[in-house]
Amino acid sequence: MLPAQAQAPAAGPGLRVRHTAVRDFPRIREICHACYPAAKPWSPGTLMQHLEIFARGQLVVVDAATDRVVGSASSLVVHWSDYGTGHTWNQITGDGTFRTHDSTGTTLYGADVIVDPAAQGRGVGKLLYAARRQVAADLNLSRIRAMARLQGYHLVADRMTPAEYAAGIAEGRWTDPTVSFQVKQGFRLLKVASGYMSDDDRSQGHAVVIEWLNPAYDAQLG
């Protein structure tokens, strides 16, 4: 369950949010493989590192009746000034180990969100993003930032730049499978970065920095 001081977002039909547990590792790996067949899924050892380093930032959505995981989100806290917009996913996550987590930082970095394809359309992603916002609020973090892959860019790469594609998403002229959803979750697009995931054919390595600002952030407490 979420910590007592953290109020969980309203769950979708038959769903609930809780923190990741060791028993969830096999399902998280299954969902990783389903979402990214060509990529190596999180290893049990790496998932354990995430819990040991920052358990509060590791979240799952489960079927309320069976406790079966249908989605997960992984996060860590960083000083954004240490990285800026030129970082790669491996750099800011410590090659996925989260050893770069710094509890004195003020930015919650969203390293990963995955949803079981069979659970698409049930509001799993919305619950995960709402739970992340709650973590940021509870820890008095100033913002959430992440790098969102421009997943649909490969379809238009022959006629526009990544920046033009991202601008069209922000202005509502077209949609992107990943970024448009995040805009609906209250994120704004800051800047396009290249070379983020160079082995991703769909985005061709291009991503956009997204940001959600915590309206309750108190700098004096931070």
Side-chain angles (χ1 to χ4, degrees):
M1 296 293 291
L2 292 172
Q5 66 270 34
Q7 183 175 358
L15 301 174
R16 67 185 181 95
V17 183
R18 61 171 171 78
H19 286 293
T20 303
V22 174
R23 66 180 183 276
D24 302 322
F25 292 177
R27 271 295 292 158
I28 292 173
R29 286 170 51 80
E30 287 178 12
I31 297 171
C32 279
H33 180 69
C35 293
Y36 305 109
K40 188 176 180 179
W42 294 115
S43 71
T46 298
L47 290 169
M48 181 61 75
Q49 281 184 295
H50 296 174
L51 291 185
E52 292 172 347
I53 291 171
F54 184 45
R56 198 163 184 176
Q58 317 317 314
L59 301 158
V60 291
V61 170
V62 300
D63 183 282
T66 64
D67 201 44
R68 179 180 173 83
V69 174
V70 293
S72 74
S74 304
S75 307
L76 63 154
V77 176
V78 299
H79 285 285
W80 188 261
S81 59
D82 292 342
Y83 301 97
T85 58
H87 71 274
T88 65
W89 185 89
N90 283 333
Q91 289 169 338
I92 201 167
T93 66
D95 292 322
T97 65
F98 292 8
R99 62 174 179 265
T100 50
H101 170 76
D102 187 339
S103 60
T104 67
T106 61
T107 297
L108 185 70
Y109 184 79
D112 187 38
V113 170
I114 54 173
V115 175
D116 185 346
Q120 294 283 351
R122 294 182 62 189
V124 177
K126 291 180 181 179
L127 289 173
L128 290 170
Y129 274 83
R132 259 192 188 158
R133 292 193 293 270
Q134 189 65 55
V135 170
D138 290 341
L139 297 180
N140 191 42
L141 300 177
S142 65
R143 60 194 174 189
I144 301 173
R145 280 190 174 176
M147 298 289 282
R149 295 183 306 131
L150 296 177
Q151 190 179 158
Y153 180 63
H154 66 288
L155 299 172
V156 298
D158 61 337
R159 57 184 183 275
M160 68 178 69
T161 67
E164 290 170 336
Y165 178 68
I169 300 168
E171 295 165 6
R173 288 185 279 127
W174 47 74
T175 60
D176 177 89
T178 298
V179 182
S180 296
F181 169 79
Q182 291 159 328
V183 170
K184 291 180 181 178
Q185 300 309 303
F187 284 83
R188 60 175 181 149
L189 311 189
L190 299 183
K191 183 179 179 180
V192 170
S194 299
Y196 181 66
M197 294 180 71
S198 57
D199 59 348
D200 179 31
D201 292 337
R202 293 187 176 184
S203 69
Q204 299 190 3
H206 303 295
V208 61
V209 181
I210 60 173
E211 177 183 69
W212 173 83
L213 297 176
N214 176 11
Y217 173 64
D218 188 337
Q220 293 183 341
L221 296 176

